[in-house]
Amino acid sequence: MNVVESRGLGKRYGRTWALRECTLEIPAGCVAALVGPNGAGKTTLLNLAVGLTAPSAGGLTVLGGRRAGSPAALDGIAFVAQDTPVYKTLSVADMLSITRSLNRRFDQPYARARLDELGIPLKRRAGKLSGGQQAQLALTLALARRPRLLVLDEPVAALDPVARHDFMATVLAAAAAAADGVSVLLSSHVLTELERVASYLVLMSGGRVQLAGAVADLLAAHGRSSLEELALHYLRETAPEVTR
Amino acid sequence: MTALTRPARPGEDDAAPRPLPWRRMAGVTWRQHRMTLAGVAVLLGALAVWLWTAGTPLHNTWATAAACHPASSPSCQNLISAFDSTATNKFMGSKGAGGVLLQLIPALIGAFAGAPVLARELETGTFRFAWTQGFARWRWALAKLVLLALALAAATAAFGVLVSWYYQPYEGVGGQFLGLNENTPFAYGFSLREVTFPAWTLAAFAIAALAGVLIRRVVPAIVATLVVYAGLAFAAAGLLREHYLAPLATTRLDLPGTTTDWVLGQWFTKNGRFAFGGNPPSSILNQFCSSGKAAGPSFAPCLSPHGYVQWTSYQPASRFWPFQWIEGGWLLALSALLIAAAIWLVHRRAA
């Protein structure tokens, strides 16, 4: 089963194509990293995958053929958006209750235990939490939904190194602990963080997918020793096209 | 690290899942909008207390006057004129500004409750949280807007009942204040009653919700709502209201409801043909009403001996409640339409 499958996918804002001719097959059970400079089309692709945006061209299905954004698709996908938005005036307990109401499944004991571990009090207003805590709260809410696909848009961009490490550790633990395999799709321009976690790579620039495949295969095929090296090499090569 | 245990999830794979029950939105709406609802409750509560305090002495004065027999006796007339002076001087009376100020309340409640529902989500980015949960986003928007609309309608209808209670003594004296009277389309009692008050609040709420999706920012959406609402309110009072039902025309000089009917226009005919509308031209006045007695609104006494017939078109006071329901009806339809448009935009809009 492919968790994300797209054919000729494109998204246009006005006359500019944010994403075009995107054909992808991301298999289930991996941590897929979307890598590329700002404006590469990463957020656009993720918004399409969770149904926040409708495609201008082509099509996209998730979780083995479900139309992106359909109730069946959103039932199995949890999305943590850029800057991890939470209702700042509501308490952590309210956020828990709201997420629970809005979803078929919600693992309340997991969520509470996790927040307890993180030292996030239930009565605290979400807006009063630190940036790292807000990100962890958003991630906890997403994981408590027991998604089959976890989509994260630049989850660590705004975090300090410690928070960044903790956040990724949570993602990895969740991916590893899930018996029937939660797949992860995340975008980032922090390459070092991805090195540890990514097993599938989608390299993007200029609104196009430049390279996609299992990390091990790509490294072997291109004779590179690290994901960072591979990504930098490719992004430099395609850079002129980006600026054009 | 807490272990994430995941039991098997049987038989949920490909078939579209049954939608989550609507009742789940009650808690969500309450948690997100309880401050708004509390604000509305405090505002209406304070106004209700004020209306009650102002209305109780009014009712007492009226009760004393009404209990007086015989009504034509000088002492009873004194009581009635005492009531009249209390009534006109009160804040909410025909000479007070209270009724005009109260007209702002539906607009304010609707704008401040309605604009944030969608605009705040779009402004702060939380729509990316709310619209990617298992509850389809159009259902999410529909449930929120309908629940809030019902809460606001119930609260404002209750307040409208209190306004009607306040005006009871005025109606008792057959006096100057039935809402359709005053010979003005802006008769301010009219839009504050138990049908129109919630209807206007809903209209403001629906305008604000739609403005919120279109403008995507709370404060500009509130401002836009107040502007659109003001236009609608003035159009309704100044242009639409008098046409809700075809006006009656009569040649009687004393209308059945004397001071409570809403006079829309006057004209004169001579020999069955239209002579002139409104006030007589000065040439005719100089010819027939030279005595100067005709300074009042009625020129009929001096003109009728010369073959002129005065016509009056009016809305009888008995149409007060039909007019209430007509206005309430079209406002409700408009609100439903605007809310449907807002939901459609949430459903369709590429965020």
Side-chain angles (χ1 to χ4, degrees):
Chain A
M1 185 186 79
N2 292 325
V3 285
V4 175
E5 197 171 327
S6 72
R7 222 162 288 286
L9 182 67
K11 177 66 190 179
R12 192 180 52 196
Y13 293 104
R15 300 184 64 186
T16 348
W17 286 88
L19 183 73
R20 63 171 114 185
E21 289 158 40
C22 170
T23 298
L24 273 178
E25 286 181 9
I26 302 177
C30 60
V31 177
L34 239 56
V35 176
N38 291 330
K42 303 189 296 290
T43 295
T44 303
L45 179 56
L46 294 184
N47 281 344
L48 286 163
V50 298
L52 280 177
T53 297
S56 316
L60 177 81
T61 60
V62 293
L63 298 172
R66 301 180 191 180
R67 188 173 53 81
S70 66
L74 286 176
D75 217 37
I77 294 185
F79 176 52
V80 179
Q82 208 162 357
D83 305 325
T84 58
V86 288
Y87 295 113
K88 301 224 186 294
T89 55
L90 296 188
S91 69
V92 173
D94 282 338
M95 288 294 302
L96 237 62
S97 157
I98 284 179
T99 315
R100 182 183 199 174
S101 298
L102 290 176
N103 291 286
R104 202 169 304 277
R105 292 177 302 279
F106 192 78
D107 194 336
Q108 185 91 347
Y110 164 79
R112 298 188 84 128
R114 184 84 196 104
L115 291 173
D116 199 41
E117 234 171 71
L118 293 160
I120 298 177
L122 288 177
K123 284 185 179 166
R124 177 97 24 109
R125 284 216 273 169
K128 301 249 187 220
L129 299 174
S130 71
Q133 283 178 322
Q134 283 187 25
Q136 285 283 9
L137 170 61
L139 179 62
T140 302
L141 295 174
L143 287 173
R145 291 178 54 193
R146 295 183 182 172
R148 304 168 126 214
L149 174 61
L150 178 65
V151 179
L152 309 165
D153 189 6
E154 296 283 2
V156 296
L159 302 184
D160 63 62
V162 176
R164 216 173 249 189
H165 176 271
D166 291 351
F167 188 97
M168 280 311 200
T170 312
V171 173
L172 270 187
D180 55 354
V182 60
S183 310
V184 181
L185 173 60
L186 62 93
S187 76
S188 182
H189 50 238
V190 186
L191 285 168
T192 45
E193 285 303 326
L194 298 176
E195 193 72 57
R196 295 187 299 121
V197 302
S199 58
Y200 194 93
L201 179 72
V202 178
L203 210 56
M204 300 184 71
S205 69
R208 287 172 197 272
V209 173
Q210 303 295 347
L211 190 67
V215 169
D217 299 348
L218 290 178
L219 291 180
H222 293 84
R224 303 282 163 179
S225 60
S226 77
L227 197 151
E228 188 170 6
E229 203 187 316
L230 175 73
L232 284 176
H233 171 75
Y234 245 85
L235 293 176
R236 285 223 177 85
E237 253 186 14
T238 54
E241 197 179 321
V242 179
T243 51
R244 210 182 299 145
Chain B
M1 195 70 45
T2 313
L4 191 64
T5 54
R6 36 184 66 251
R9 296 178 294 237
E12 49 145 82
D13 258 63
D14 288 295
R18 275 235 321 277
L20 290 165
W22 287 102
R23 70 184 127 79
R24 292 204 182 189
M25 280 305 294
V28 174
T29 309
W30 169 246
R31 270 164 218 275
Q32 281 196 267
H33 301 286
R34 58 191 160 197
M35 292 311 285
T36 306
L37 293 174
V40 171
V42 166
L43 176 68
L44 287 180
L47 287 170
V49 168
W50 167 73
L51 212 55
W52 181 263
T53 348
T56 308
L58 200 64
H59 273 73
N60 292 340
T61 332
W62 164 239
T64 335
C68 184
H69 286 290
S72 52
S73 72
S75 60
C76 289
Q77 287 302 316
N78 282 346
L79 284 173
I80 287 178
S81 64
F83 166 79
D84 278 347
S85 65
T86 329
T88 45
N89 292 332
K90 282 284 179 193
F91 195 41
M92 281 281 286
S94 57
K95 293 218 174 88
V100 179
L101 286 181
L102 272 191
Q103 302 242 344
L104 301 175
I105 299 300
L108 292 177
I109 289 179
F112 279 88
V117 178
L118 299 167
R120 179 154 296 146
E121 303 272 353
L122 292 161
E123 191 172 0
T124 59
T126 46
F127 72 96
R128 289 175 293 168
F129 166 84
W131 296 356
T132 51
Q133 306 296 311
F135 211 93
R137 70 202 211 196
W138 72 266
R139 296 177 80 229
W140 170 92
L142 175 64
K144 272 196 170 198
L145 292 173
V146 167
L147 282 170
L148 288 171
L150 287 177
L152 292 182
T156 47
F159 187 77
V161 171
L162 190 67
V163 173
S164 283
W165 167 83
Y166 182 92
Y167 284 138
Q168 256 173 16
Y170 291 91
E171 296 173 26
V173 292
Q176 61 247 19
F177 215 83
L178 196 55
L180 274 180
N181 61 3
E182 294 247 316
N183 294 341
T184 159
F186 298 102
Y188 35 80
F190 188 77
S191 59
L192 298 174
R193 307 296 279 268
E194 52 267 62
V195 179
T196 41
F197 197 81
W200 278 104
T201 308
L202 281 192
F205 176 79
I207 294 168
L210 182 60
V213 203
L214 293 173
I215 303 174
R216 303 167 72 105
R217 288 174 51 215
V218 177
V219 175
I222 289 176
V223 174
T225 303
L226 295 178
V227 170
V228 172
Y229 180 93
L232 192 65
F234 278 104
L239 304 172
L240 299 178
R241 199 169 285 156
E242 62 187 83
H243 300 298
Y244 287 169
L245 291 171
L248 303 181
T250 181
T251 55
R252 287 177 59 174
L253 297 181
D254 54 333
L255 296 177
T258 43
T259 53
T260 52
D261 292 324
W262 178 11
V263 174
L264 299 175
Q266 276 180 344
W267 68 95
F268 286 80
T269 55
K270 190 178 187 182
N271 303 328
R273 285 209 225 129
F274 178 81
F276 51 85
N279 288 345
S282 51
S283 57
I284 294 181
L285 276 185
N286 292 337
Q287 197 180 341
F288 302 120
C289 302
S290 50
S291 59
K293 284 185 297 182
S298 179
F299 302 99
C302 60
L303 292 179
S304 56
H306 305 281
Y308 288 96
V309 178
Q310 176 182 299
W311 289 83
T312 305
S313 73
Y314 68 105
Q315 298 286 3
S318 61
R319 287 182 174 178
F320 181 80
W321 286 107
F323 270 47
Q324 282 276 310
W325 287 108
I326 289 170
E327 184 151 310
W330 74 258
L331 283 171
L332 189 66
L334 177 72
S335 307
L337 204 68
L338 295 176
I339 285 177
I343 293 167
W344 186 80
L345 282 174
V346 165
H347 179 62
R348 282 301 311 273
R349 188 175 188 118

